[in-house]
Amino acid sequence: MRTDLSFLSVVADGPDDYVIGNGETFVHVPEVAAAVVAALDGTRTAAEARARVLADRGVDVDVEAFVSGLDGAGLLSPPRRPPNVWDRIRPGHVAWLFSRPADAALLLLTGCAIAAALTRPGVLPDPATLVWADSLAFTLAFAAGSWLLVLVHELGHIAAARSLGVRAELSLGTRMQFLVVQTRITGVWAVPRRARYRAYLAGMRVDWLLACACACVLAVTDAPVARLVMVICLAQIAWQFLFFMRTDVYYAVANATGEKNLMADARAYLRRRGGQARRAVRVYAWFLVAGRVLGLAFFACYTVPVTVAICRRSLEELAGPGGWRPVATLAVVAAGWLLYLGVLLRRLIRTRSTATNSGE
C-alpha cells in the first residue's frame, strides 16, 4: 500500500532539525525523518521508501514504525476545523502591509516622530497631564481605548499570519494574573524560521505605527485622544518586553535561540536548581527569576501613575460641584482594583495549595 504524506509541511529549522506538521499539529524530527516524509509522496510503499532512504542517506529506517508514530501524533490526516472569519483574508489582501514600501513608510514616520519628540518636549507622554475632560469620561475612554487598541494589536498578528497563509484564531487568555486577548497561530511552524518574526512582532509593529502617528499629530496640535492612544500603545509595547510571560518578545526570543520549549525548559532548570542545560535556557531562567521585579516595574511606572491621575482629578471634581460623576469614577476604579486583587489573591492561594499538596 502506497502512503501519501505529501500534505505534510516540511521546514528546515536548524542543523539536523526539521518541523513537520499538518497545519495544526507539528513535531520536530531529524533530517533523515524529513527524508522519509519526502519519500512517502504517494508513489512508494513503506518498503520502497525505506530502500530509497537507505540508498540516499545510508540509514536504515523502520518506515512503518515511523508512520505509526505520526499516526499516534495525529499527523496522518489534515485537521478538520470549521472556517472562521479570518480565513476570508487571503495573503494577497494583506501582504502589502509587510512589503518594503510599507517598511520604508514606517521608518519615515519613526523619523518624524523622533524629530517631533526632540523639538516639542510636550509630545512625550506624562501621566500627570493625561486626564482630560471629566474623570468619568476619561476613565470610560481609557478602558474602551485600551481594549480597542489591544484588538488592533491582535489584528496586526492576524494580518501577518494571513499574509503567510497561516490560519489565525482570536480568543481570550491569561498571562499570570492578567486577562489578555491572544491570537493563536500554531500553523506558523509551517513557514521558514525567519518568516515567523513577521507574525510574532506584527502587533508591536502596529502599536509603534500608531504611537509614531500620534506623536506627529501632537507636534502640530494638542489632541487629548492622540495623547491617550500614544500612551496606551507605548504601554502595550513595554508589556511585550515582560517576556517572562508568553508575550510577543518571548516568542521572538525563542525563535531566535531555536529553543522549542524555552519557558518549560527554563522552569525545569530552576526546579532542579542548576545542572546541564543549553546556554539560552540558562540565560532565560534568570529572566524568569527577575520576572516579578519587571512586572512590578511595569505596574509602578504605568498602572499606578494613571490610577493616581484619575483619582486626583476625581477628588478635585468632588470638592466642587462635580455631582455624581466623580463618585462613579472612583467606584469604577475601585471595582477594577478589587477585581485585580481578587484574581491575584486567588492565584496566590492556588499556588500555595499546590505547593502544600506536592510537599505532602
Side-chain angles (χ1 to χ4, degrees):
M1 180 179 177
R2 295 175 180 177
T3 304
D4 185 6
L5 299 183
S6 59
F7 64 89
L8 294 178
S9 61
V10 180
V11 178
D13 204 52
D16 196 30
D17 184 11
Y18 283 72
V19 181
I20 63 174
N22 61 0
E24 179 68 24
T25 303
F26 293 85
V27 295
H28 294 266
V29 297
E31 184 177 5
V32 66
V36 172
V37 173
L40 293 172
D41 58 0
T43 64
R44 300 178 181 87
T45 64
E48 291 170 341
R50 181 173 188 170
R52 174 68 179 270
V53 173
L54 179 60
D56 291 347
R57 305 283 177 170
V59 180
D60 187 17
V61 180
D62 187 342
V63 174
E64 291 185 356
F66 174 72
V67 172
S68 177
L70 294 181
D71 187 23
L75 286 169
L76 288 193
S77 61
R80 296 180 179 178
R81 299 170 298 191
N84 64 27
V85 64
W86 314 117
D87 292 341
R88 300 177 183 178
I89 303 175
R90 302 302 179 190
H93 295 161
V94 288
W96 63 274
L97 294 171
F98 307 95
S99 63
R100 290 186 177 181
D103 293 340
L106 180 58
L107 186 61
L108 178 61
L109 186 62
T110 299
C112 293
I114 292 174
L118 292 176
T119 57
R120 295 284 302 275
V123 167
L124 297 176
D126 181 4
T129 60
L130 179 62
V131 180
W132 49 269
D134 62 84
S135 57
L136 180 60
F138 173 80
T139 302
L140 296 178
F142 183 81
S146 295
W147 281 103
L148 178 61
L149 290 171
V150 165
L151 178 60
V152 172
H153 172 102
E154 296 304 324
L155 289 176
H157 288 299
I158 291 172
R162 295 306 299 144
S163 74
L164 297 169
V166 173
R167 179 182 172 88
E169 298 176 6
L170 196 63
S171 64
L172 289 176
T174 58
R175 298 289 185 273
M176 296 181 68
Q177 68 268 26
F178 304 106
L179 180 66
V180 298
V181 181
Q182 60 189 11
T183 302
R184 185 171 181 267
I185 49 173
T186 307
V188 77
W189 287 106
V191 303
R193 185 170 168 182
R194 184 175 180 179
R196 294 173 203 154
Y197 289 111
R198 176 189 296 185
Y200 293 147
L201 301 177
M204 295 175 66
R205 178 189 176 101
V206 172
D207 293 337
W208 183 248
L209 170 68
L210 292 175
C212 290
C214 289
C216 293
V217 170
L218 290 170
V220 178
T221 180
D222 186 18
V225 173
R227 191 175 302 280
L228 178 63
V229 170
M230 183 170 68
V231 168
I232 294 173
C233 287
L234 291 177
Q236 289 184 164
I237 293 174
W239 163 270
Q240 301 303 331
F241 282 91
L242 303 180
F243 61 102
F244 55 90
M245 299 180 286
R246 286 188 172 87
T247 63
D248 298 350
V249 173
Y250 164 79
Y251 287 109
V253 169
N255 192 57
T257 59
E259 297 292 338
K260 312 304 185 296
N261 298 290
L262 180 59
M263 183 174 290
D265 291 345
R267 285 175 173 171
Y269 174 76
L270 291 173
R271 281 197 298 269
R272 62 176 183 265
R273 298 182 181 180
Q276 294 295 324
R278 291 177 293 276
R279 184 174 181 273
V281 173
R282 297 197 305 271
V283 171
Y284 183 69
W286 285 103
F287 282 97
L288 288 181
V289 173
R292 294 183 182 276
V293 176
L294 294 174
L296 288 173
F298 180 88
F299 191 76
C301 296
Y302 176 66
T303 307
V304 172
V306 171
T307 303
V308 169
I310 294 173
C311 291
R312 183 184 292 118
R313 175 62 64 86
S314 299
L315 293 174
E316 291 173 356
E317 293 173 356
L318 200 59
W324 60 272
R325 299 176 72 85
V327 177
T329 301
L330 293 173
V332 170
V333 173
W337 277 91
L338 287 173
L339 177 62
Y340 166 78
L341 293 174
V343 173
L344 179 61
L345 181 61
R346 181 180 178 184
R347 184 180 181 87
L348 291 174
I349 293 174
R350 184 179 298 175
T351 301
R352 179 168 295 182
S353 176
T354 302
T356 302
N357 293 336
S358 61
E360 292 178 350

